[in-house]
Amino acid sequence: MDQNLFNEICLQQLTLSGVHEGETVAVLTRGAERAEYADAFLWAVGKLGAQGFHLRLPAPVSASGAWAVGDSGLAGNRLAVEALKSVDMVVDCTFLLFSPEQFEIQGAGTRILTAVEPPALLARLMPTRELRERVEIGAELLAKA
């Protein structure tokens, strides 16, 4: 995918996530994975007038190539966890999902946007305000059922 198009996708994602001037956004990656994601999201952060930085963790040592849910590389890295707890939003490109570190970061009030899918898939799955409204109405209907 063209980098300019991916930049715009990231800008739209952050806009829908409510990122605005005065906020701080950290982009979390690991090793050489998803470096173009960090570039695109940091470009978008700047366009929104927010401050941003890239926190790049060491590459995994596992030779198996397996991708474990919740194994983000943050376990045991207190300095990195504290840095992420201090920002308004983390763009997670490592797949923090269900990790103790994810829950700790969110518990501090930090929002997390996970972006690990290929750019073309992120483009196809782009949410809209209308979709959110429909989902919220559906949730209300289910709650009443």
Side-chain angles (χ1 to χ4, degrees):
M1 172 177 289
D2 175 68
Q3 187 65 39
N4 290 326
L5 180 57
F6 190 45
N7 288 353
E8 291 298 327
I9 288 169
C10 294
L11 178 61
Q12 188 176 355
Q13 285 282 356
L14 293 182
T15 300
L16 289 170
S17 297
V19 173
H20 58 275
E21 188 173 345
E23 285 197 310
T24 304
V25 178
V27 181
L28 178 65
T29 66
R30 194 169 182 185
E33 295 175 353
R34 300 182 187 87
E36 70 279 11
Y37 288 53
D39 292 341
F41 276 108
L42 289 173
W43 175 85
V45 165
K47 289 295 268 186
L48 294 171
Q51 296 293 313
F53 65 90
H54 180 191
L55 178 55
R56 181 177 169 229
L57 299 172
V61 221
S62 166
S64 71
W67 188 23
V69 172
D71 178 17
S72 65
L74 278 177
N77 191 336
R78 292 305 314 157
L79 186 59
V81 171
E82 292 302 321
L84 296 175
K85 286 169 53 178
S86 73
V87 301
D88 298 294
M89 173 171 259
V90 172
V91 177
D92 170 29
C93 300
T94 66
F95 209 46
L96 282 170
L97 193 63
F98 303 123
S99 69
E101 296 80 21
Q102 172 207 350
F103 296 125
E104 183 178 347
I105 292 164
Q106 287 177 311
T110 300
R111 305 185 315 270
I112 298 178
L113 172 67
T114 301
V116 295
E117 301 297 341
L121 186 56
L122 291 174
R124 277 199 323 269
L125 297 175
M126 179 63 67
T128 63
R129 293 187 195 285
E130 295 78 19
L131 178 60
R132 180 181 180 135
E133 290 171 6
R134 290 174 60 194
V135 168
E136 288 174 350
I137 290 169
E140 288 175 15
L141 292 172
L142 283 173
K144 293 177 185 176

